[in-house]
């Protein structure tokens, strides 16, 4: 078998920055046709300027009508769909559940779970037409461990793990494979913001919080976005044609969340 992704039609949500951007670029550089949506219009313009072959749409995945327009635009741009990467998600606030803002808590569910539902449901008919349909759901370390002071985020990431298992069963007869990727501490602005949130709760410094995070990892280094992208490409390729319903941590073997 060949690790070949040329001319695959790939849709990445929240692909204008961070992990999503790395995934979109990696697929495009491998010869795939890529469409990206994001709520960050300036970041989308920057991506399109650097990689003109990547088509883009501004979209809030929690808005059903916006997702309907974006999926129609994606199909028009790509002509079909082979790989869906559900990367869109927000972290919410850093606070114990008893002090959590109900509206903020609900918004995390709206984006991370309901947004994934909207995108996936509308993309399934296009994936059924593919000879190699793949769905990759971006869960997280918080989808296999408890995450103190981030209850909404952890709840949604565990939910995506369950959705992955369920969709793999539902869609297997159509030849559609469904897997989840569970990144840990990924190098970038988002992780730095997580550290700031932890520090605000604990009273420790950001340097101390970084050391604590590393203390719980067997491999004591941050995951690079490009490493997550490489895993996504493997799972989307025919080399992984018999892999479905699985959860793939990529977190340096993290044992607990500080």
């Amino acid at each position: 078998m060949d690790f070949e992704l040329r001319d695959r039609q790939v849709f990445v949500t929240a692909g204008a920055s961070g992990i999503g951007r790395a995934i979109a670029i990696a697929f495009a550089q491998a010869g795939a046709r890529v469409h990206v949506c994001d709520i960050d219009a300036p970041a989308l313009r920057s991506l399109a300027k650097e990689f003109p072959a990547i088509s883009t749409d501004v979209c809030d995945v929690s808005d059903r009508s916006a997702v309907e327009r974006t999926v129609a635009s994606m199909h028009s741009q790509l002509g079909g769909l082979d790989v869906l990467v559900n990367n869109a998600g927000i972290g919410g606030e850093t606070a114990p559940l008893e002090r959590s803002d109900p509206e903020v808590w609900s918004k995390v569910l709206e984006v991370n779970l309901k947004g994934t539902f909207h995108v996936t449901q509308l993309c399934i008919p296009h994936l059924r037409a593919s000879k190699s349909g793949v769905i990759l759901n971006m869960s997280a370390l918080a989808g296999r461990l408890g995450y103190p002071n981030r209850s909404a985020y952890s709840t949604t990431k565990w939910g995506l793990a369950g959705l992955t298992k369920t969709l793999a069963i539902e869609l297997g007869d159509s030849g559609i494979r469904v897997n989840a990727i569970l990144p840990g501490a990924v190098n970038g602005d988002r992780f730095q913001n997580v550290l700031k949130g932890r520090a605000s709760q604990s009273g420790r410094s950001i340097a101390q919080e970084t050391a604590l995070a590393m203390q719980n990892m067997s491999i004591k280094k941050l995951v690079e976005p490009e490493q997550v992208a490489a895993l996504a490409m493997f799972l989307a390729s025919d080399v992984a044609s018999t892999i479905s319903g699985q959860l793939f941590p990529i977190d340096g073997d993290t044992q607990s969340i500080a």
Side-chain angles (χ1 to χ4, degrees), residues 218-230:
S218 298
I219 300 174
K220 300 184 186 304
K221 60 182 180 179
L222 298 179
V223 178
E224 296 298 329
E226 292 76 16
Q227 292 176 302
V228 182

Side-chain angles (χ1 to χ4, degrees), residues 83-208:
V83 181
L84 167 62
V85 183
N86 282 313
N87 177 64
I90 59 175
E93 63 185 338
T94 302
L97 187 135
E98 62 185 327
R99 294 205 300 270
S100 295
D101 183 322
E103 291 187 6
V104 175
W105 214 94
S106 294
K107 182 61 177 177
V108 177
L109 271 65
E110 286 287 322
V111 175
N112 296 9
L113 283 181
K114 202 167 182 179
T116 300
F117 162 77
H118 291 322
V119 174
T120 305
Q121 186 182 57
L122 292 167
C123 285
I124 285 173
H126 302 305
L127 289 165
R128 287 190 190 279
S130 170
K131 293 180 180 179
S132 53
V134 173
I135 299 173
L136 298 176
N137 293 322
M138 199 61 62
S139 182
L141 176 64
R144 71 177 183 87
L145 298 174
Y147 200 160
N149 301 314
R150 300 289 294 284
S151 58
Y153 180 74
S154 185
T155 296
T156 60
K157 295 303 183 178
W158 278 85
L160 289 175
L163 179 64
T164 297
K165 293 284 190 179
T166 299
L167 284 176
I169 298 168
E170 291 184 0
L171 301 176
D173 285 347
S174 296
I176 299 171
R177 298 185 292 106
V178 189
N179 291 294
I181 297 174
L182 286 66
V186 177
N187 195 15
D189 292 340
R190 175 172 286 191
F191 183 61
Q192 291 303 314
N193 290 333
V194 168
L195 292 174
K196 290 176 184 177
R198 290 183 188 176
S200 70
Q201 290 290 315
S202 68
R204 293 184 287 263
S205 69
I206 292 176
Q208 288 172 320

Side-chain angles (χ1 to χ4, degrees), residues 12-77:
V12 184
T13 66
S17 62
I19 291 173
R21 188 178 192 274
I23 290 172
I25 292 171
F27 273 102
Q29 291 179 333
R33 300 173 61 195
V34 181
H35 189 84
V36 163
C37 76
D38 204 291
I39 60 170
D40 190 338
L44 282 174
R45 288 194 292 270
S46 176
L47 176 67
K49 183 177 180 180
E50 187 174 355
F51 298 92
I54 297 177
S55 55
T56 64
D57 271 304
V58 176
C59 179
D60 175 355
V61 297
S62 67
D63 181 341
R64 177 76 179 199
S65 60
V67 175
E68 289 172 346
R69 292 191 297 270
T70 295
V71 170
S73 172
M74 174 276 298
H75 191 263
S76 175
Q77 293 284 341

